[in-house]
C-alpha cells in the first residue's frame, strides 16, 4: 500500500519553502490578499503553474449545488488555502477538506500568515471520494 502521507511531498515542500520566504519578507499584519499575491508571484518565479481563485464546482446527487473558490491550485496537484488570522481553527481545516472532497486533487495546504506562521497539510485520496466527483 502506498504511503499517502508523502503524496506530492516535493511540491508541498517547495510551496512551504515559498510560504516561509514570503512570511519572512512581509511579516505579520497584512490582509490575506497581499499574501496571496506575494505567494503567487514567488511560486511563479520558482517555475510552478499557479491558478489563483480557482473555481471549484460542488455537486450533490449529480446536481451542481454551489461553487467554492480555492485561493490557489499549484501544478494541478495541491490546493493552497491562505489565512491571515490569529490562529488556524477547525473550520479552516474543514474548508480545505471540503475543497479536496469536491475535486480530483488529493493534497491541500492550509497556510496561515498570522503572528506565528502555521501550516496544515491535508490529504483526501480519490479512492475515498464518492459521487462528489462529477466535475472539477
Amino acid at each position: 500500500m502506498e504511503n499517502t502521507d508523502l503524496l506530492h511531498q516535493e511540491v508541498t515542500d517547495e510551496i512551504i519553502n515559498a510560504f516561509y520566504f514570503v512570511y519572512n519578507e512581509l511579516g505579520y499584519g497584512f490582509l490575506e490578499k497581499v499574501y496571496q499575491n506575494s505567494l503567487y508571484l514567488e511560486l511563479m518565479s520558482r517555475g510552478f503553474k499557479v491558478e489563483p481563485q480557482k473555481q471549484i464546482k460542488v455537486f450533490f446527487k449529480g446536481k451542481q449545488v454551489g461553487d467554492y473558490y480555492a485561493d490557489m491550485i499549484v501544478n494541478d496537484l495541491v490546493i493552497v488555502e491562505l489565512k491571515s488570522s490569529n490562529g488556524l481553527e477547525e473550520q479552516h481545516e474543514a474548508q480545505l477538506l471540503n475543497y479536496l472532497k469536491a475535486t480530483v486533487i488529493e493534497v491541500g495546504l492550509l497556510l496561515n500568515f498570522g503572528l506565528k506562521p502555521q501550516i496544515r497539510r491535508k490529504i483526501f485520496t480519490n479512492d475515498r471520494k464518492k459521487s462528489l466527483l462529477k466535475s472539477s
Side-chain angles (χ1 to χ4, degrees):
M1 181 169 189
E2 172 186 356
N3 184 355
T4 58
D5 290 345
L6 303 178
L7 193 61
H8 308 311
Q9 184 174 2
E10 283 183 24
V11 175
T12 58
D13 285 352
E14 284 297 317
I15 295 168
I16 291 167
N17 185 282
F19 162 72
Y20 279 116
F21 182 82
V22 170
Y23 186 88
N24 289 335
E25 286 290 313
L26 294 178
Y28 165 71
F30 286 104
L31 294 175
E32 185 180 302
K33 191 69 173 173
V34 171
Y35 295 115
Q36 180 181 343
N37 292 340
S38 299
L39 186 58
Y40 170 83
L41 290 173
E42 183 60 26
L43 289 169
M44 292 292 289
S45 75
R46 293 178 185 213
F48 287 95
K49 174 187 172 193
V50 185
E51 295 177 88
Q53 292 301 305
K54 175 75 174 180
Q55 181 182 23
I56 298 170
K57 297 175 192 266
V58 180
F59 292 83
F60 177 75
K61 292 188 174 184
K63 304 281 185 206
Q64 184 177 342
V65 294
D67 298 302
Y68 279 125
Y69 290 87
D71 287 334
M72 59 183 70
I73 296 183
V74 179
N75 285 9
D76 296 320
L77 296 174
V78 180
I79 295 176
V80 178
E81 183 62 25
L82 303 176
K83 299 296 176 196
S84 178
S85 64
N86 290 333
L88 293 176
E89 297 181 20
E90 197 172 304
Q91 69 220 31
H92 299 142
E93 295 186 40
Q95 179 184 22
L96 179 59
L97 277 174
N98 284 334
Y99 288 168
L100 294 173
K101 288 176 185 177
T103 66
V104 295
I105 296 174
E106 298 177 293
V107 178
L109 286 175
L110 180 57
L111 307 175
N112 184 30
F113 289 92
L115 184 57
K116 290 183 177 181
Q118 292 177 288
I119 299 165
R120 298 285 186 279
R121 186 175 191 273
K122 297 289 181 187
I123 296 174
F124 198 88
T125 57
N126 288 333
D127 63 335
R128 296 174 57 201
K129 298 174 188 180
K130 297 180 183 153
S131 62
L132 295 171
L133 293 177
K134 294 295 180 197
S135 177
S136 56

